[in-house]
Amino acid sequence: MGTETAGRTVHSAAFFDLDNTLVQGASLFHLARGLTAHGMVSKREIAGHALRQVRFRVFGEQSGLLDDVQEHALDFVKGHEVARMEKICEAVFDDYLSDKIWPGTRALSEAHLLNGKEVWLVTAAPIELAQVIARRLGLTGALGTRPESVDGRYTGRIAGALLHGPDKAHEVSRLARERGLDLAHSYAYSDSANDLPLLSLVGHPVAVNPDRALRRHARQYDWAIVDYRTTRHTRKVPVAGAAAAVGAVAAGAAAAAAHWSGDRD
C-alpha cells in the first residue's frame, strides 16, 4: 500500500531513532541491566564499556574516540552465544523497556503504519535488541549495529560500522534502494544532532525531544518539532500535510503524551 501521487503509487517509510526518541533514556543502559541480571557479563565489564560511552558523549568524535568506541563497543559480549543474547533482549524489553516507550512517538509509528508506510527502527544499539523492539511494537523492521559472530558466538567486534551519524543515512539509503522507497515522501524522527544526515535525507524530518543543537537546526530550517518532556510538548504538528488518519492519531498522541507526562510529574 502506498500514497497516490500524480497517478502513481509512492512507496515511502518512516524511520525512528531509538534513544530519547522512541524510548526514554539509553536503551544500552537497560540492556546492560539485563545482561548483568542474567549473569552474562559482570558489573566491572559493563563499567568499562560505560566509561567509554561517557567519554564519547562528552567529547564527541574528536581525538579518535569514535574509532575507540567501534573497536571496543562489544568487548563485553565476546565469546558469548548469540542465541542467549537474543533471549536476554526479549527479557530486557519485558522487564525494562516496555514501559519506557514514549506514547506519543509510538502513536506516530502506528499512524504511519495505518497510512500504508513502512516503519523502521534505526539505531546504534545492537541489532538483536533493535529487532526485538521492532517486532514487539509491530514495526516493519530494524536497522542496528551488527555484532560479528563466528559459529554462533560473538567475537567482540562489530561487523561493519557502528550505526551512528552518517552511517545511519547510508544504511537507510541502501534500504530505500532495495525496497523501492521514495525518501522525498518519507519521514524521519530523532532527538539528536548526530542524526542530521538521516533527517536531511527525507522529505519530512521531525525533531523529537531534541537536544539543543538539533532544536536550533530544526528552527532554522522550519522542521517539525515535538517535545514530550515538557507541558509544551509540541511546536508543530509533525505530520502536517500527511493523510488525515496520521494527523488524527498524532493529535491523540499529543494529548496522551501530555496526560502521561503529567502523571509522571
Side-chain angles (χ1 to χ4, degrees), residues 120-182:
W120 289 82
L121 185 61
V122 187
T123 174
I127 188 62
E128 291 84 356
L129 181 61
Q131 288 175 334
V132 166
I133 296 170
R135 184 168 62 252
R136 292 299 191 89
L137 298 183
L139 309 185
T140 307
L143 300 174
T145 298
R146 292 191 173 275
E148 183 184 75
S149 62
V150 175
D151 297 329
R153 291 185 179 271
Y154 292 115
T155 66
R157 295 186 295 269
I158 292 175
L162 186 72
L163 207 62
H164 169 85
D167 287 304
K168 279 190 178 181
H170 294 158
E171 278 297 289
V172 166
S173 294
R174 178 193 60 77
L175 182 76
R177 290 193 299 271
E178 289 181 355
R179 301 181 69 86
L181 300 173
D182 187 336

Side-chain angles (χ1 to χ4, degrees), residues 28-29 32 42-60 65-66 68-70 72-73 76:
L28 286 180
F29 169 75
S42 69
K43 290 182 179 180
R44 168 176 276 186
E45 290 171 313
I46 289 296
H49 173 72
L51 178 60
R52 192 171 289 111
Q53 294 293 328
V54 168
R55 290 177 63 230
F56 178 67
R57 289 282 185 177
V58 172
F59 298 106
L65 286 179
L66 180 57
D68 182 59
V69 169
Q70 292 194 161
H72 300 286
F76 61 93

Side-chain angles (χ1 to χ4, degrees), residues 67-87:
D67 292 338
D68 182 59
V69 169
Q70 292 194 161
E71 180 67 22
H72 300 286
L74 297 172
D75 281 351
F76 61 93
V77 296
K78 184 177 182 179
H80 290 287
E81 295 179 350
V82 175
R84 188 179 181 197
M85 169 71 96
E86 292 171 343
K87 290 181 180 179

Side-chain angles (χ1 to χ4, degrees), residues 8-257:
R8 67 187 182 91
T9 300
V10 175
H11 298 285
S12 56
F15 304 97
F16 286 82
D17 174 50
L18 180 59
D19 293 353
N20 297 312
T21 303
L22 184 59
V23 303
Q24 302 169 60
S27 57
L28 286 180
F29 169 75
H30 298 293
L31 177 59
R33 292 173 69 190
L35 293 174
T36 54
H38 289 266
M40 187 168 175
V41 299
S42 69
K43 290 182 179 180
R44 168 176 276 186
E45 290 171 313
I46 289 296
H49 173 72
L51 178 60
R52 192 171 289 111
Q53 294 293 328
V54 168
R55 290 177 63 230
F56 178 67
R57 289 282 185 177
V58 172
F59 298 106
E61 299 180 18
Q62 301 172 8
S63 305
L65 286 179
L66 180 57
D67 292 338
D68 182 59
V69 169
Q70 292 194 161
E71 180 67 22
H72 300 286
L74 297 172
D75 281 351
F76 61 93
V77 296
K78 184 177 182 179
H80 290 287
E81 295 179 350
V82 175
R84 188 179 181 197
M85 169 71 96
E86 292 171 343
K87 290 181 180 179
I88 291 175
C89 286
E90 295 279 358
V92 166
F93 184 88
D94 292 334
D95 296 341
Y96 308 121
L97 292 179
S98 61
D99 63 349
K100 299 291 190 300
I101 306 295
W102 285 109
T105 311
R106 181 171 186 177
L108 288 170
S109 71
E110 292 172 342
H112 283 301
L113 289 168
L114 287 172
N115 196 39
K117 286 183 169 56
E118 295 189 7
V119 176
W120 289 82
L121 185 61
V122 187
T123 174
I127 188 62
E128 291 84 356
L129 181 61
Q131 288 175 334
V132 166
I133 296 170
R135 184 168 62 252
R136 292 299 191 89
L137 298 183
L139 309 185
T140 307
L143 300 174
T145 298
R146 292 191 173 275
E148 183 184 75
S149 62
V150 175
D151 297 329
R153 291 185 179 271
Y154 292 115
T155 66
R157 295 186 295 269
I158 292 175
L162 186 72
L163 207 62
H164 169 85
D167 287 304
K168 279 190 178 181
H170 294 158
E171 278 297 289
V172 166
S173 294
R174 178 193 60 77
L175 182 76
R177 290 193 299 271
E178 289 181 355
R179 301 181 69 86
L181 300 173
D182 187 336
L183 292 177
H185 288 84
S186 295
Y187 290 71
Y189 299 83
S190 178
D191 72 298
S192 174
N194 289 327
D195 284 335
L196 282 173
L198 170 61
L199 292 166
S200 301
L201 193 64
V202 300
H204 304 283
V206 182
V208 179
N209 305 325
D211 60 26
R212 184 176 301 175
L214 178 56
R215 185 181 293 275
R216 183 170 56 246
H217 187 96
R219 285 174 172 169
Q220 180 180 353
Y221 289 92
D222 198 32
W223 289 357
I225 300 173
V226 291
D227 197 331
Y228 301 117
R229 300 167 299 184
T230 69
T231 53
R232 294 187 304 107
H233 49 79
T234 60
R235 188 172 157 264
K236 299 177 183 177
V237 177
V239 287
V246 180
V249 176

